[in-house]
Amino acid sequence: MPLLAGLLAAGWSMAAAAQAFGPPVRLTPDAAVEAPVQSRPSAPPPVIVPAYPPAVTPPPAVSPVVARPAPVAREPLGAPDPDGAGLLDGLQGLGGDPWRGIGRAELLLLIAALPVDTPSPTVKALERRLLLSAGSPAVATGEAPPPRRLGALRIEKLARLGDPAGAAELAGRLPAALAADEPAARALTDAELVRGGLDCPRALARGKSFTSAYWAKLGLFCRARAGDRAGTDEALAGLRDSRRSDPFLPVAEALAGAAPPPARSLSLQADADGLALLLAAMRIARIGVPPDRLPLETLPALAAIATNPATDPATRAAAGERAAASLFLDARQLQDLYAQVPAVGDELLRVRDIARRDRGARTRALVHQAMAAAMDGRRRVALAALAVELVDPRLRAGPVGGAAAGLLDGVSPTGDAAALAPAAARLYYAQGRLDQARRWHDLALRSGRSADTAWLWPLAVVATGQGGDPGALTAWLDEALRGADTPARNRIAGQLALLQATGVAIPDEAWMTATDGAGPPSGSEAGVDPALWQRLGDAAAGGRIGETVAVALILLGEAGPATLPPVVTARVAANLKAVGLEPDARALVREAMAAITGPAIQVPNPTAE
């Protein structure tokens, strides 16, 4: 990331970045500056898509830093930036003056560094609020105009985040923001193409001041979509003269009436003139995408492939599931994709056996279809349990978990489903569906042994904000530590940090017992950048809410709270809570806790009668 590396060189020395993190148990803002501290042959082969999100390894001790340039902080400030209009004001956004205490130059760096592909619903919702909130940073007296305007950066980031409607509405409030910023205009148009909601006249007007081939191709696309054959032919003639090697050209010829090109002849790698536009044109021309041509690193593109009816259903489900993992599709869209995957032979009766060999999207699709066909109550319970088991723990809070929860909705929390109760409660807690979670949790408490249900206690506390009394903490800790090995103790320490971040008092003896005397985990053990870690506390202590949120989001990064070490999420949550964002803090902790809570469940055989 060249931008962040440049910031490191400009704002912080290597020596400063190598300093310690400060007291390990301090999660809240610092009052003063601390010392830095495979199936039968008749069945189609599964579509192989690598797991997403990928496993996160700790970054090096010195990692890229988003730091506040000291010269900006010292110079007198002039008029606020003119791009401060927003769709959210006051309590709907981040307050009346979210950028108090931060200059435009440093804010632009923070906005550019925000994550976009995170699997966390809470992170995306909070980032959206940040970008849509009204408020202007101050501009230093004599400060040169930035290379890119704040408004354009906000619009681009919203579009890349998967919110083209919000980006377009913000662009309407800032009509000059896109006039000279082609990357932002392109990002908004690409997001609308992926979502399928492109307004052609508005998009073409957006690009009228730019001369790149992207806008000429967009014009051809819009004419073809409208059935304007003459206009399509005219635009195609211009492309033939100047874009002979462009993969868009044979697709454009198909739009004009020629035979579609073989999909394998098309390059689907991100190119200078727009992968989203190419995929949208392929969708209109009914050109499918082979499973071995998926652009796996471009998640919005996978959402476009998932909505292309010419693509094989199993490939669509695999692409859509990966896109849904980062919230570019929702649970309902994912369920619709699952329903279209064809089953072969008696696969719906053998889903448990299939799941032992393949835990991919096609298997999850078969589980959903088997559930739709099942009438026997015991079989429905077993299939719902299998659906829950097949959800990656890191994806429980998002659409992939939501699709499994949709199957759970067809099962009643009665005694016949007691074996499913703990896992069902965990999934509903992860989804933030507290009423359903409580019903399944109650069933687990009534019908299970304490050892089978004790692990639900910390998740229920952070999800509901209730029950964090010392006696309950001690009882849970005693049960959780019974026979715990080192990995289990590390997980328990992470749970303690998450509980503490939401306001549960953790006595010193609890820390020492859980960690064999090592004490609470620290930021240094999590491998995060020490300067960014410190800056979060400084911003919260100073009441700089916008800066606190931006730095928190950068610390969480693309991985999100369900993948990062719990101490990182705990630090972020405690500081968000300190600036009045307790619901957001609690939701982050709930996502993290749901990912690390509980043993694997024993799933009954769905073929049982």
Side-chain angles (χ1 to χ4, degrees), residues 87-105:
L87 309 182
L88 303 177
D89 295 300
L91 295 178
Q92 286 187 318
L94 295 181
D97 189 15
W99 301 119
R100 178 182 63 82
I102 186 171
R104 179 177 65 183

Side-chain angles (χ1 to χ4, degrees), residues 284-325:
I284 296 239
R286 298 188 177 276
I287 301 172
V289 178
D292 59 350
R293 307 286 286 182
L294 297 177
L296 296 176
E297 302 307 316
T298 312
L299 300 177
L302 294 179
I305 292 169
T307 56
N308 182 345
T311 297
D312 171 74
T315 302
R316 293 178 62 194
E321 191 175 82
R322 185 156 173 148

Side-chain angles (χ1 to χ4, degrees), residues 64 148 198 223 269 325 392 432 573 583 593:
R148 300 186 66 188
L198 181 72
R223 291 182 177 93
Q269 302 307 310
D392 187 309
M593 189 74 84

Side-chain angles (χ1 to χ4, degrees), residues 448-459:
R449 298 180 302 116
S450 60
D452 297 327
T453 58
W455 52 268
L456 279 172
W457 178 81
L459 177 56

Side-chain angles (χ1 to χ4, degrees), residues 263-598:
R264 294 185 182 278
S265 68
L266 303 174
S267 173
L268 299 185
Q269 302 307 310
D271 66 286
D273 291 324
L275 177 59
L277 181 53
L278 173 62
L279 291 172
M282 291 175 66
R283 182 168 57 202
I284 296 239
R286 298 188 177 276
I287 301 172
V289 178
D292 59 350
R293 307 286 286 182
L294 297 177
L296 296 176
E297 302 307 316
T298 312
L299 300 177
L302 294 179
I305 292 169
T307 56
N308 182 345
T311 297
D312 171 74
T315 302
R316 293 178 62 194
E321 191 175 82
R322 185 156 173 148
S326 280
L327 291 87
F328 290 102
L329 293 177
D330 60 30
R332 176 57 62 186
Q333 290 171 302
L334 186 56
Q335 289 172 320
D336 290 343
L337 291 172
Y338 286 157
Q340 298 172 37
V341 175
V344 178
D346 63 350
E347 284 186 320
L348 296 186
L349 300 177
R350 299 185 296 106
V351 286
R352 181 65 198 168
D353 292 336
I354 293 171
R356 292 192 181 102
R357 301 188 300 272
D358 172 37
R359 299 176 66 87
R362 187 173 186 275
T363 298
R364 277 180 283 277
L366 293 175
V367 173
H368 279 252
Q369 293 179 38
M371 185 71 165
M375 300 298 291
D376 179 77
R378 290 175 298 170
R379 177 165 170 76
R380 292 180 63 81
V381 170
L383 287 167
L386 181 56
V388 174
E389 180 201 11
L390 289 174
V391 177
D392 187 309
R394 299 166 295 177
L395 304 179
R396 285 172 181 150
V400 177
L407 295 191
L408 270 179
D409 291 342
V411 177
S412 299
T414 61
D416 293 341
L420 170 60
R426 174 177 57 195
L427 183 59
Y428 278 128
Y429 277 132
Q431 289 280 309
R433 298 176 59 181
L434 301 187
D435 288 342
Q436 293 86 348
R438 288 189 184 99
R439 287 196 288 270
W440 284 97
H441 195 166
D442 288 344
L443 175 61
L445 293 174
R446 294 195 309 268
S447 56
R449 298 180 302 116
S450 60
D452 297 327
T453 58
W455 52 268
L456 279 172
W457 178 81
L459 177 56
V461 170
V462 300
T464 66
Q466 301 172 358
D469 57 273
L473 172 66
T474 300
W476 164 72
L477 194 57
D478 288 346
E479 189 63 61
L481 289 171
R482 198 185 309 277
D485 55 12
T486 299
R489 285 181 174 272
N490 290 337
R491 182 178 65 179
I492 293 166
Q495 291 173 301
L496 288 174
L498 293 170
L499 286 165
Q500 180 174 283
T502 58
V504 177
I506 309 297
D508 290 344
E509 59 268 24
W511 281 115
M512 303 306 286
T513 301
T515 61
D516 276 338
S522 69
S524 57
E525 296 166 353
V528 298
D529 169 62
L532 201 58
W533 182 273
Q534 182 66 38
R535 182 174 182 178
L536 176 64
D538 292 343
R544 301 190 297 273
I545 185 170
E547 183 181 354
T548 301
V549 172
V551 174
L553 292 171
I554 295 169
L555 263 175
L556 292 168
E558 304 290 356
T563 302
L564 289 171
V567 67
V568 179
T569 302
R571 170 81 168 184
V572 165
N575 283 278
L576 291 177
K577 182 180 177 183
V579 294
L581 298 175
E582 182 171 2
D584 303 274
R586 188 171 295 281
L588 286 172
V589 171
R590 171 176 51 78
E591 288 187 22
M593 189 74 84
I596 63 174
T597 288

